[in-house]
Amino acid sequence: SSNLIIKAELTSDPNENKNLYKLLNDTLNLVTSILDSFKGHLRQFIVDDKGVILIATFGLRGSTSPNMATERVLPASRIVHYALQNELGINNFVGVTLGKVYCGIVGGIKRHEYAVLGPSVNLSARLLGMANHPGILVDDTVRQEATSWGNFLPFPPMKAKGYADLVPVYQPLTAREARWGKVNPHFVGRRDEMNNLCNLAKNMAMAKGPAQIFFVWGESGSGKSDFLVQTVALTRKALISIRKAVVVLRHIGSDGDSLVPFSTFRSIFRDLLAEPTIGDNSSIPSKFSKNDSASVRDRDWESMSLSSISTLNTSKIASNERLNEICTELQAPRGFIQIVGYHLLGHGMKNTISNSKEKTPVLDEIVDFMAKVFIHCTSHANLTVVALDDMHHTDNMSWRVIQKIFETGENILFVCGSRPTTSRKLNIDDDFWKSLNGIHKKSMRFHELHIGPLDQSEITEMAAIALSCKKRDVDVQFTKDIFDHTRGMPHFAAQALKICKKKSLCERLSNNKIGWRKGTGEFKMLFSTLDELLLQRIDDLDDFTRKVLHLASVLGHTFKMSDIIGISEQVLSIADNDKMEHTLKIGISLDNAVEEGIIEESVRDTVNVSKVMTRRLSRVSIPSLTVSRRASKTSLPSLSDLYREEKNDDSLGASKQSYQFCHDTWRQKILSLLLDSYKQDIHRHAASAIESEISDLEEVNYRTKMKLFRHLKESGNKSKSTELALNVGKNFMYLGLNLHSIRVFEDALDVWHKDKNSDNDDTVAGFSCQVIESLDESDLISLIKLQTALGQALGTLDRKKESAQAFEDALEVFSEAPVSAEIRNRSVLFPIYSGLFFLLKYGGMIEPGQELAYEHNLVTNFVEETRLNGDPVHYSRSLAMQGEFYSRQGQYEDAIFCHERLKRTYNVDQHSALVIENYATDRSAQNFGITANCLYRLGRVEEALDIADTVLSDMLPKMDPKNVHNSMIMMYPLLWILKNEKMAEKAVTAMEEFVFEPFRQHFGNKGKTPLLPLYKPIKALFTIAMYLEGQVEVIDESMISWALEPASPISVSKNFDTAMANFGRCGSSIGAEICLHLSKYTKSEDTRKELMAKGWKLCQTAMETANKCGSHQTTYFETKPIYDEYVSLNNKSDEE
C-alpha cells in the first residue's frame, strides 16, 4: 500500500482543479508504468477522506517468480516511493507486507468489485500510519523472504488486527545505507551546524558552480560520524523537498585503506556502476513539468533498470560491463580498463600486467579518467554529495582523484570527516592542502567545522531520551555527574546512560526528578574513564559472546560472519559433528552483541542464521533454546537431525552477513584485552582461510592481497608476508605507485624488526643479531630482496640517501648472516651494486674525496661477484658498470677494454629482456653508446659511428618500445656524436622512431618518464642544428617565446644536470646552446638580450656541473665551446 500526501480536494477554482486532475493522472501513469516493469498490478487507486491510497499486488497467477520479494517487490516499492517524490514532488509513505489473501470478486450481482482481502492487506494499511515513518516499512515476513536484500532496521513493533502478537516492523536498507550508518531520530545537538551545511548544499543545487569541500573534524567519541549521518540525511531530504535531483555517495575509511590505491573510490565506483536502487544513493532528475502527463506516459520504464532510473543513462547490466561501456564512450584504451577495473576497482577479469602490447597505465591518466567517469555518471544531478568518513585512513591516490574532481567538477560537495591532523595525518598532497586552506578557503570553496563536546543542557536532553522522560524531569545533579565524568563527549555519555538504565541506577527522587538511586554513590566513579565503562559492559557478556568479539576485533572494524565461523572452528577446535551447533551459537552471540550496541549489521546478504535456525528448531520440535548472556556456558540441543535436513539448504549462506563495530573504541578496548600470542593465532588462521581461496595470486586484486598481507604480518609469518609484499610492492612500482610500494615494503620489514627486544640490543642494520644469526638461506634471500626493493622504490622518488641506506643495510645483513657463506648463487646482491652505482652518479651519497675509492671498490666487487656467478646477464651488467666508471674518469682505453669483454658475453637477442627484468633497463646495451663516446674522444670517429649504426639499426629495434627510458639512455651519448658530425637529421629520425612516437603511443600526452624534461629541449636543439646544416629553411618563431618562458623546460634541476652529465651532456648546456643560437636568429635586439641573459645563466650552471664532473668528461668538451662563445659575445657587447 502507498499513502500519498496530496490535498485532493475540489475547489471553486477550475484551474486548480485541472492541475489536481493532471497530478492524479500523472501519478497513475507513473505508478502503473513502474509496476508493469516489475510484473506488479495496481489493485486500487482511491481518493477519500484519508487521502490518496494506492494498493498494489505481486504474485497474481502468471506473474510469480523466485525471489519475488528481493527482485520485484522491494525494488518496485523503492522506485515508486522515490519517483513520486522526485518526479512529481509528492511526499508518500509505503507499507509492504506478504501473506496469503483472498483475491476475487466482492459484492453483489449488480454492485461488486475485484478485491484482495486478508490480514496482510490490513497490516500494510496500518504500516502507513506508523509514527516517524521513514518512507518505506515492511513486516517480518518480507524481511525473511528478502534473502539477498541489504539489511533491515528494526522499528517498534505494532498491534495489528488479525495478529495475536505484536507485529515486528522494519525499514529496508540497501547494503550501502547499512554500511554508512542509521539515522537517529533522537539525535541531540549540532542543529545550527547541520543547518549551515544543509543550506550550503541547497545553495549549490540552485545553480551551476564549482565543487566544494566541507571538512568535519572530531576526536574519537565526539559524535563526528553520527553528525555526518544525520546531516547527509537532512540534506538529501531538504533537496528533494525543493525538487532538486541529488546523488548521495558514501564511504567509511577503515584500517588498511591507506595501503590500497584508490580504496575510497573502489566502493564509490561500485556504487555508481552497480545497479543502485533509486533513492538509495540518487534520485531522478525531473525531465518534465509537474503537469506534463504525456512525459510520464512516454517514459520507457520497461527498458530502464534500477541503475538507469538512478542515472537516466544506463541499462541493467553488470557493473564491469558498465565500466567497459563508459570507457569505450570516453575512449579509454583496453589495457587501461583491465588494469584499473580489476586491480584497482575489483571489476572485470585479471589482466597480465606485463603485456607489452597494451598501453602502460599512467597515474595521471588513471586519476584523470576516474574523475572523468565520476563526473560523467553524476552529471544529471543538481548536486552530488560525497560523504566520506574517517578520511585519516584514505590513501593518497584517492586524495588525488578527489583533488581532480574538486578542480574540474561542478555541483559536487565533498563532506569529509576525520580525526584532527594533530592525531592522524592525512595522506594528502601538501600543495593541495595548502591551497585548500589558502585560496579555496578565501573563495568559500573549502569549509571546516570542529566538533567538540556537548554542553550540559544537551547531556540533559540525552538523559531524558534514554530514561523516557521529559527534559525537565531529569535531576540536575545526575546530568552534572554524567557531564563531568564523560566530559560532554556524546559517545561516552550515551554508554554511561545506557548502563545506568540497564542496571536500574536511577529512580524517581523525592523532588519528583529522576536521579541516582540510593546506594549508587560508589558506582558513579566506576565510569570515570571510557575504558572502565567499556570494560564493565564487556564483562557483562557471556563467555562465548566475548570469544566471538575477540575474533571479530582481530579481523578488523568490519568483518563477515563466515570468517568468524571458519576461524573459530580452527581456534576453538570444533569437531565436525558440532559445527552446526557452533554456527548457531555464533549467530546468537552476534545478535547479543548487536543488542548491546557493540556491533551492528552492515550488510545482510541473507537471512540471519540464528533466526533461520531457531525457526527450524521449532519446526522439528526441538525444545526451545535459551542462551543466558551471563552464563559461562551455553546449553544447546543436538542438531544432527536438523543438519541432515538442511545440509543442502542455501539459506545457511547467511554466514555471509557482515558486521561492523559501532565505534572504534569498542574494537580497540577488546583488542587490548587479548594476549599477543592469541591475536597472532587468529591472524594465522585468517590468513590460511584467505590462502585456501586463492589458486593464482596474480588473479587476486590488491584489496584482497593487502588483507592477506595484514594477517600474515600480524601472525608473525616473516617469509610469506615478505613474499607477498614483494609481489604487491613491485606491481605498485610498475603502476607508478611508489609511495604505496614504500609503505608496503616498510610494513613487511617491521615484521623482522619486531624481534628486537630493546634499543640497547646489538643490531645489524637495525635488526636483532639473534634474527640475523637464525636466518636460513630462503629467509636471508627474501630479506635482501625486500631491502633492495625498498631502496629501488626510494630511489625513484629522489630520496637518495634513504635509498642508499637501504642498499647498504642489505649488504651488511648479507655479510653478517652466517648462512650467507653457504649461498653459492649470490645474484641477489647484484641489483644492490647496480642501485648504489646509479645513486653515486647523482652525488651527495658519500663524503667528498671518498667517492672515487668507494665507487671503484663497489665496481670491482660487483664484477668479481658476477664473474664467479657465471650468469652472462649479471656479468655483462657489471662490465657495463665498470666501463662507465672508467669512461667518467677519462680512462677511455680501459673503458673500451671492458666493452670488448662485454661483447663476448652479451647477446641482445638472448639477454636484453633478462637484463631489463633484473635492472629495469638494459644497462648492458647502454654501454655501447658510452663506448662510442670513448672512441670519439680518442679521435676514432669512424669506429664511434660504426657503433652508433649498430645501436640504431640492430639493437634499438629489438628493445621493448614501451621502455622509452632505456631507448633514450642508449641513444643519448650518440646524439652529440651525430650532432658534431653534422648528422642532426639522422639523430632526429632515430629519436622520433624509438623515443618520441613510442612515448606518445604508450603513455599519452600526460605520461611521465625520467628523461621527459629533456624531450622538448633536445627536439628544439636538433631542429636548430638541422637549420644550421641547411636541412630546415626557417626556425619557428614560437620557439623563441617558448625558450623565454619562466617555466620553460630548458631549465632543469642541479641533480638532474649532474645525472645527465654522466651520459655525455647536462640539461643546462642544452638550454644554453638553444638560447645562443636563437639570439643570433632573432631580429629583435631586446629579445636577443633576453636570450643572451638567460643562456649565459644556464651556461654558467652547465660549466659548474662540467667542472664538478671533471675536465676529462664529455660534458666538459660539449659545454666549453658554448661557454667560450658566450664569454666572447659578452666581452664584445661590453666593448660596444
Short mmCIF file of all heavy atoms in Angstrom, two decimals, residues 89 128 152 221 327 427 436 553 581 642 678 690 697 713 795 797 804 942 991 1052:
data_model
loop_
_atom_site.label_atom_id
_atom_site.label_comp_id
_atom_site.label_asym_id
_atom_site.label_seq_id
_atom_site.Cartn_x
_atom_site.Cartn_y
_atom_site.Cartn_z
N GLY A 89 7.01 15.44 -6.98
CA GLY A 89 7.05 16.26 -5.76
C GLY A 89 6.02 15.83 -4.74
O GLY A 89 5.56 16.65 -3.92
N LEU A 128 1.24 2.24 7.14
CA LEU A 128 1.27 3.61 6.61
C LEU A 128 1.11 4.64 7.72
O LEU A 128 1.57 5.78 7.59
CB LEU A 128 0.14 3.80 5.58
CG LEU A 128 0.19 2.89 4.34
CD1 LEU A 128 -1.01 3.20 3.44
CD2 LEU A 128 1.48 3.09 3.57
N PHE A 152 17.85 -4.72 7.34
CA PHE A 152 16.55 -4.25 7.81
C PHE A 152 16.72 -3.63 9.19
O PHE A 152 17.19 -4.29 10.12
CB PHE A 152 15.54 -5.40 7.85
CG PHE A 152 15.19 -5.93 6.49
CD1 PHE A 152 15.95 -6.93 5.90
CD2 PHE A 152 14.11 -5.42 5.78
CE1 PHE A 152 15.64 -7.42 4.65
CE2 PHE A 152 13.80 -5.89 4.52
CZ PHE A 152 14.55 -6.89 3.95
N GLY A 221 34.82 9.62 19.64
CA GLY A 221 33.79 9.76 20.67
C GLY A 221 33.07 11.08 20.65
O GLY A 221 32.13 11.29 21.43
N CYS A 327 34.12 3.39 -20.51
CA CYS A 327 35.49 3.53 -21.01
C CYS A 327 35.50 3.65 -22.54
O CYS A 327 36.28 4.43 -23.10
CB CYS A 327 36.34 2.35 -20.57
SG CYS A 327 36.73 2.36 -18.80
N ASN A 427 46.81 11.67 4.22
CA ASN A 427 47.71 11.30 3.12
C ASN A 427 47.43 12.17 1.89
O ASN A 427 47.25 11.68 0.78
CB ASN A 427 47.52 9.82 2.75
CG ASN A 427 47.93 8.89 3.86
OD1 ASN A 427 49.02 9.01 4.40
ND2 ASN A 427 47.06 7.96 4.22
N LEU A 436 43.85 24.45 -0.30
CA LEU A 436 42.54 24.37 0.35
C LEU A 436 42.45 25.36 1.50
O LEU A 436 41.45 26.08 1.66
CB LEU A 436 42.27 22.95 0.86
CG LEU A 436 41.95 21.87 -0.17
CD1 LEU A 436 41.78 20.53 0.50
CD2 LEU A 436 40.70 22.22 -0.96
N SER A 553 37.35 -8.53 16.73
CA SER A 553 38.23 -7.37 16.91
C SER A 553 39.55 -7.54 16.18
O SER A 553 40.12 -6.58 15.67
CB SER A 553 38.48 -7.11 18.41
OG SER A 553 39.24 -8.17 18.98
N GLU A 581 25.90 -26.76 15.44
CA GLU A 581 25.57 -26.18 16.74
C GLU A 581 26.43 -24.95 17.01
O GLU A 581 25.95 -23.93 17.52
CB GLU A 581 25.82 -27.25 17.81
CG GLU A 581 25.36 -26.88 19.20
CD GLU A 581 25.52 -28.05 20.15
OE1 GLU A 581 24.95 -29.12 19.87
OE2 GLU A 581 26.21 -27.89 21.16
N LEU A 642 18.70 -32.02 12.34
CA LEU A 642 18.47 -30.78 11.60
C LEU A 642 19.50 -30.60 10.51
O LEU A 642 19.20 -30.17 9.41
CB LEU A 642 18.50 -29.58 12.57
CG LEU A 642 18.31 -28.21 11.95
CD1 LEU A 642 16.92 -28.10 11.35
CD2 LEU A 642 18.51 -27.13 12.99
N TYR A 678 47.66 -14.91 21.27
CA TYR A 678 46.31 -15.29 20.84
C TYR A 678 45.93 -14.52 19.58
O TYR A 678 45.35 -15.09 18.64
CB TYR A 678 45.32 -15.01 21.97
CG TYR A 678 43.91 -15.48 21.68
CD1 TYR A 678 43.64 -16.81 21.35
CD2 TYR A 678 42.84 -14.60 21.76
CE1 TYR A 678 42.35 -17.24 21.09
CE2 TYR A 678 41.54 -15.02 21.50
CZ TYR A 678 41.30 -16.34 21.16
OH TYR A 678 40.02 -16.77 20.90
N ILE A 690 42.09 -17.20 3.80
CA ILE A 690 42.17 -16.45 2.54
C ILE A 690 43.00 -17.22 1.52
O ILE A 690 42.64 -17.32 0.35
CB ILE A 690 42.77 -15.05 2.79
CG1 ILE A 690 41.85 -14.23 3.70
CG2 ILE A 690 42.98 -14.31 1.48
CD1 ILE A 690 42.42 -12.90 4.12
N LEU A 697 47.81 -16.19 -7.33
CA LEU A 697 47.96 -14.91 -6.66
C LEU A 697 47.79 -13.74 -7.61
O LEU A 697 47.28 -12.69 -7.23
CB LEU A 697 49.34 -14.84 -5.97
CG LEU A 697 49.58 -13.62 -5.06
CD1 LEU A 697 48.61 -13.63 -3.89
CD2 LEU A 697 51.02 -13.62 -4.55
N LYS A 713 51.36 -10.59 8.24
CA LYS A 713 52.27 -9.75 9.01
C LYS A 713 51.99 -9.87 10.51
O LYS A 713 52.90 -10.09 11.31
CB LYS A 713 52.14 -8.30 8.56
CG LYS A 713 52.94 -7.32 9.39
CD LYS A 713 52.59 -5.88 9.07
CE LYS A 713 53.21 -4.93 10.08
NZ LYS A 713 52.76 -3.54 9.88
N GLY A 795 64.64 5.32 -4.42
CA GLY A 795 65.43 5.99 -5.45
C GLY A 795 64.56 6.64 -6.51
O GLY A 795 64.89 7.72 -7.02
N LEU A 797 61.85 8.09 -6.10
CA LEU A 797 61.26 9.32 -5.56
C LEU A 797 62.32 10.34 -5.16
O LEU A 797 62.05 11.28 -4.43
CB LEU A 797 60.38 8.99 -4.36
CG LEU A 797 59.13 8.16 -4.65
CD1 LEU A 797 58.33 7.93 -3.38
CD2 LEU A 797 58.26 8.84 -5.69
N ALA A 804 70.14 4.75 -0.61
CA ALA A 804 71.48 4.21 -0.40
C ALA A 804 71.58 3.46 0.91
O ALA A 804 72.22 2.39 0.99
CB ALA A 804 72.50 5.35 -0.44
N GLU A 942 85.37 7.05 -36.97
CA GLU A 942 84.70 6.03 -37.77
C GLU A 942 84.22 4.87 -36.92
O GLU A 942 83.11 4.35 -37.11
CB GLU A 942 85.64 5.53 -38.88
CG GLU A 942 85.92 6.56 -39.96
CD GLU A 942 84.65 7.05 -40.64
OE1 GLU A 942 83.74 6.20 -40.86
OE2 GLU A 942 84.55 8.25 -40.94
N MET A 991 65.36 9.48 -32.88
CA MET A 991 64.63 9.86 -31.67
C MET A 991 63.11 9.77 -31.89
O MET A 991 62.37 9.33 -31.01
CB MET A 991 65.01 11.28 -31.24
CG MET A 991 66.38 11.36 -30.56
SD MET A 991 66.69 12.98 -29.83
CE MET A 991 66.84 13.99 -31.31
N VAL A 1052 66.64 23.06 -15.79
CA VAL A 1052 66.44 21.80 -15.08
C VAL A 1052 67.12 21.88 -13.72
O VAL A 1052 67.90 22.80 -13.44
CB VAL A 1052 67.01 20.60 -15.88
CG1 VAL A 1052 66.25 20.42 -17.17
CG2 VAL A 1052 68.50 20.78 -16.16
#
